[in-house]
Amino acid sequence: MIPENDIIALFKAPAVAMKAERLLRKAALDCRLIPAPREVAAGCSMALRCPAAQLSTMIRELNRLQLTPRAMYRKSASGYQPVTPSAEGEYHDPVSG
Amino acid sequence: MILYLDNAATSFPKPEEVYQAADRTLRRYGVNPGRGSYGLVLEAGRLVYRTREAVAELFNIADELRVVFTSNATEAINLALFGLLQPGDRVVTSSMEHNAVSRPLHALRARGIQVTEVPADRFGRLQPDDVKAAAMAGGQAARMVVLCHCSNVTGTVQPIEEIGPWCRRHGILFMVDAAQSAGLLPIDVQSMAIDVLAAPGHKCLLGPPGTGFLYLREDLQPTPLIFGGTGGDSMSEEMPEALPERLESGTLNAPALAGLLAGIEYVQRIGIRQVREHKTRLLEALLYGLRQLPGIRIYGPGTATEHGGVVSFTMAGRDPAETGFLLDEQYGICVRTGLHCAPAAHGTIGTLPSGTIRVSPGLFNTREDVDRLLSALTDMLGPNFSISQQGDVQ
Ligand SMILES: Cc1ncc(COP(=O)(O)O)c(C=O)c1O
């Protein structure tokens, strides 16, 4: 079970998710790869999970590394809420602009 | 004791660490990296990823996701040539290529790709000006120049550091077959302006057979050779756009890639320069010794520092195949004879159709090994030696 408030990020390919995990761990983030929950991804994708407290560091590092996620979500009691640029300021979703 | 001197075919033996890494991976993480996301799969995936990073670091590749694993250099070369060249394109190559390059190019001719072969001199050397002239023939830049960095027949090293930047300035793709040089000569894809680099993992990088890779510059997007599952985005009928997945469908050989990682780390620890110096010393002793023997003809530059890892020679009046057979049968020495999958190179140096005897020492060979080969050859040339007496030779 993914704890409430945890963040999950989806990337355009599994190897990119792998790269993101490796580099974020090097930056001392407590993140790990998990199977993407079916609510946010069809098929057999991987997602990178991070504790809520590290969200802003995660976004900053991913931007710095130019590893922009395809999408990001926050787990809530009612499901996965998209993390939007307006809510977090720095995260730019390449799909929705 | 068998003496193996055919490291240009594949390096053997491997460092102990390589055996251990492959064995450990097969036992502990013998799962399918990239298929599923449970812990063991992720561990195997991370190992593959670290191998990608190690390859990227060794060749100064900025983004390890541009490194695609293949099962050997041949597959990497095919992937690039068939995936990037379109009918109407012109490609320039040399007369020193391995069949891994010349056969795909021959097949591509039938698909409307024009191939120009630049001849090398009898030492196997290419003149950069000849390559440049061929690439600009008719006033129009070719699409690609593809060259073997170091010949597997003569060991001749081509001046890719001059040709690459020139190609970049003229908007020509520069592809290098580093089968004999990756892990032996310094290769920097940035300073040498290499757009496409194909290499085996199982030769000078000391990895197990079944490993190789292709590096592709940022904006190159070849059509895949093989279509299939990539572990992600399964609903799509199309292959994914992103590298490496686009070009890596099917199960990866994680145990061998773990071995390759250990091999690269070993080479890094020793240092490419030291590896080269060791081989140069062995080739120096070999060349010196060969020159003391009657009727020996050496091919290629003839100076150890100008040979990559191999020396080719012939013995007057003897078929290389017969010499190779006797070295194996009577003296337990493994060398490669014949054409070494590179008939054009043998055409260039004048050794068609029977080829040469090729000696390629490895990292673990010693001066004593070279002496053992030289005394076997001396013995074979001795006054009492003839083929019919081969049973008498110990
Ligand atoms: C110059 C050259 N290119 C390509 C290859 C093919 O390498 P692989 O056996 O890894 O496919 C070789 C191997 O002998 C080679 O010497």
Side-chain angles (χ1 to χ4, degrees), chain A residues 5 7 28 30 37 40 42 55 59 63 71 82 88 96:
Chain A
N5 280 327
I7 304 299
D30 185 19
V40 298
L55 174 63
I59 289 173
N63 278 338
E88 301 302 333
S96 62

Side-chain angles (χ1 to χ4, degrees), chain B residues 142-350:
Chain B
R143 165 94 173 115
M144 178 191 273
V145 168
V146 50
L147 296 178
C148 169
H149 186 189
C150 172
S151 163
N152 65 313
V153 173
T154 57
T156 315
V157 179
Q158 308 300 357
I160 60 168
E161 64 290 340
E162 176 177 346
I163 297 169
W166 180 88
C167 286
R168 175 89 27 110
R169 285 197 296 280
H170 291 80
I172 300 166
L173 286 179
F174 185 49
M175 170 166 164
V176 174
D177 167 7
Q180 294 298 337
S181 57
L184 178 65
L185 305 175
I187 298 177
D188 179 327
V189 298
Q190 296 188 42
S191 70
M192 291 172 164
I194 297 170
D195 299 307
V196 184
L197 180 73
H202 62 94
K203 297 189 198 239
C204 296
L205 295 177
L206 306 176
T211 55
F213 74 87
L214 178 69
Y215 156 72
L216 290 154
R217 195 191 68 199
E218 200 61 46
D219 49 345
L220 296 175
Q221 188 75 340
T223 317
L225 266 189
I226 296 177
F227 294 73
T230 55
D233 221 1
S234 299
M235 298 290 282
S236 168
E237 291 187 338
E238 308 277 337
M239 290 298 286
E241 290 291 311
L243 253 52
E245 281 86 356
R246 178 178 178 78
L247 303 173
E248 276 182 359
S249 21
T251 299
L252 282 175
N253 189 350
L257 291 172
L260 173 58
L261 174 60
I264 293 175
E265 285 172 349
Y266 192 89
V267 170
Q268 294 268 51
R269 223 169 24 252
I270 295 194
I272 289 212
R273 231 185 70 204
Q274 284 69 20
V275 171
R276 177 89 200 277
E277 274 169 14
H278 173 73
K279 289 200 181 175
T280 303
R281 273 196 298 275
L282 296 181
L283 292 188
E284 230 158 43
L286 175 64
L287 287 168
Y288 178 83
L290 286 175
R291 289 199 170 101
Q292 312 309 308
L293 300 176
I296 298 267
R297 172 135 187 231
I298 294 162
Y299 297 87
T303 315
T305 49
E306 289 181 63
H307 281 252
V310 316
V311 161
S312 257
F313 64 94
T314 51
M315 296 166 85
R318 285 174 190 267
D319 174 3
E322 168 205 306
T323 308
F325 176 78
L326 291 176
L327 282 174
D328 183 27
E329 277 285 299
Q330 309 291 333
Y331 303 92
I333 299 176
C334 314
V335 296
R336 182 89 184 271
T337 60
L339 298 180
H340 319 101
C341 301
H346 282 280
T348 305
I349 63 171

Side-chain angles (χ1 to χ4, degrees), chain B residues 81-82 91 93 99-113 115:
Chain B
L81 294 177
F82 282 99
V91 49
T93 187
N99 274 340
V101 168
S102 30
R103 283 184 173 165
L105 289 180
H106 178 75
L108 282 163
R109 275 195 173 106
R111 300 188 186 182
I113 283 128
V115 181

